[in-house]
Amino acid sequence: MTWSMRLLYAVLWLAGLLPLRILHAIGSVFGDLLWWRNGRERRITTINLALLETQDRALAGQVDARGVLRETGKAALEVAKVWSGRPQQALALVREVRGLDLFEQALANGKGVIIAAPHLGCWELLSYWLAARTSLAIVYRPPRHSRFEPLLIKARGASKVEQVRAEGAGVRSLYRRLAAGGVVGILPDQQPRQGEGEFAPFFGIEALTMVLVPRLAERTGATVLFAFAERLPRGAGFRIHIEAAPPGIADTDLRVACTALNEGVERCVRIAPLQYQWHYKRYSISPPGPKRRLY
């Protein structure tokens, strides 16, 4: 790591000594600053929530841009607790697990398990929790600024998670791991590059969707589960949710499979809608036909 990344890691380590409620309080203030700054994060969040309202007014009524940005701030600060090199302290923040039987049954089947973990709540803590129970490989996309990659590898390394790049040899290793009955974690709601995904509805709007999860499931017979760590109020900790995948997730028709994948993400988001990454340009690539410009 460069000296600047070492310094940043040291700051994260020190911040991790603070109680979670303090980190969340600071994060909430940071979210308010994003709101008042009226920059990129607020603009994209507002656009996405306006799109959501055209499709699902009931869900949109539970979400407001300022509340989303406050949760975004909490998410940015709470990683200090997870990345501080003290995994047992981080795991102690898990207060409840819902759907544990689904996970244990999938492990017992011995056919491999794919954990689809949306950008919802604290996905870094979810990785720690999974790694404490089984050998785990997570798929990641290298950060835009390469100097951050060694920091990510070191910060996540305390949990003994195997970190696999979403490319070439890394993807091939996932097939081998699943064929041997292993467990793989994937963030399923990242927009792939043009030409590398399949368009499918996400909250009723066509979105370019990754095909990695459906292809892995179809070719290996692995069980797909959706999971996330919900942030509890007032820094009380986290509740882990594990959900069965919708039917069709392993369909050979990628349109059917990606629709099921997005439905699984939607089900998770409906449990804690403020904690989703609504500041992400999820619809920036248009489907075939007249071009749209949303952002």
Side-chain angles (χ1 to χ4, degrees), residues 162-182:
E162 180 184 351
Q163 301 175 63
V164 177
R165 280 191 172 206
E167 55 189 35
V171 172
R172 289 191 292 273
S173 74
L174 301 180
Y175 285 97
R176 293 193 295 270
R177 175 178 282 267
L178 290 171

Side-chain angles (χ1 to χ4, degrees), residues 47-61 203 205:
I47 291 170
N48 281 333
L49 294 185
L51 291 170
L52 178 65
E53 189 169 12
T54 67
Q55 303 295 321
D56 192 330
R57 287 190 176 183
L59 180 61
F203 288 107
I205 302 168

Side-chain angles (χ1 to χ4, degrees), residues 101-113 180-181 221-225:
D101 57 325
L102 292 173
F103 180 60
E104 291 178 339
Q105 181 179 347
L107 286 179
N109 286 341
K111 295 182 178 180
V113 183
T223 300
V224 180
L225 298 174

Side-chain angles (χ1 to χ4, degrees), residues 38 47 79 99 124 132 185 202-203 208 213 221 239 283 294:
N38 199 19
I47 291 170
V79 293
E124 297 290 350
F202 182 57
F203 288 107
L208 189 61
V213 170
R239 176 187 295 120
Y283 305 107
L294 301 177

Side-chain angles (χ1 to χ4, degrees), residues 210-257:
M210 71 151 57
V211 298
L212 179 58
V213 170
R215 281 178 172 164
L216 286 171
E218 188 268 324
R219 295 177 186 178
T220 67
T223 300
V224 180
L225 298 174
F226 285 78
F228 71 99
E230 178 188 5
R231 188 175 304 114
L232 299 176
R234 296 178 291 281
F238 298 88
R239 176 187 295 120
I240 288 178
H241 296 262
I242 301 172
E243 302 272 333
I249 193 79
D251 201 286
T252 54
D253 184 328
L254 286 177
R255 168 77 178 185
V256 173

Side-chain angles (χ1 to χ4, degrees), residues 122-142:
C122 187
W123 53 90
E124 297 290 350
L125 179 61
L126 175 65
S127 292
Y128 269 48
W129 184 86
L130 291 167
R133 282 154 180 78
T134 186
S135 176
L136 174 70
I138 60 171
V139 181
Y140 77 98
R141 183 182 295 175

Side-chain angles (χ1 to χ4, degrees), residues 56-106:
D56 192 330
R57 287 190 176 183
L59 180 61
Q62 302 174 44
V63 191
D64 66 282
R66 188 169 184 176
V68 167
L69 293 178
R70 284 176 172 169
E71 294 298 321
T72 300
K74 293 176 185 179
L77 270 291
E78 71 194 11
V79 293
K81 270 295 188 194
V82 185
W83 286 357
S84 60
R86 296 176 287 267
Q88 293 307 313
Q89 291 184 28
L91 289 171
L93 296 171
V94 177
R95 308 303 186 197
E96 181 185 2
V97 180
R98 296 183 179 178
L100 179 60
D101 57 325
L102 292 173
F103 180 60
E104 291 178 339
Q105 181 179 347

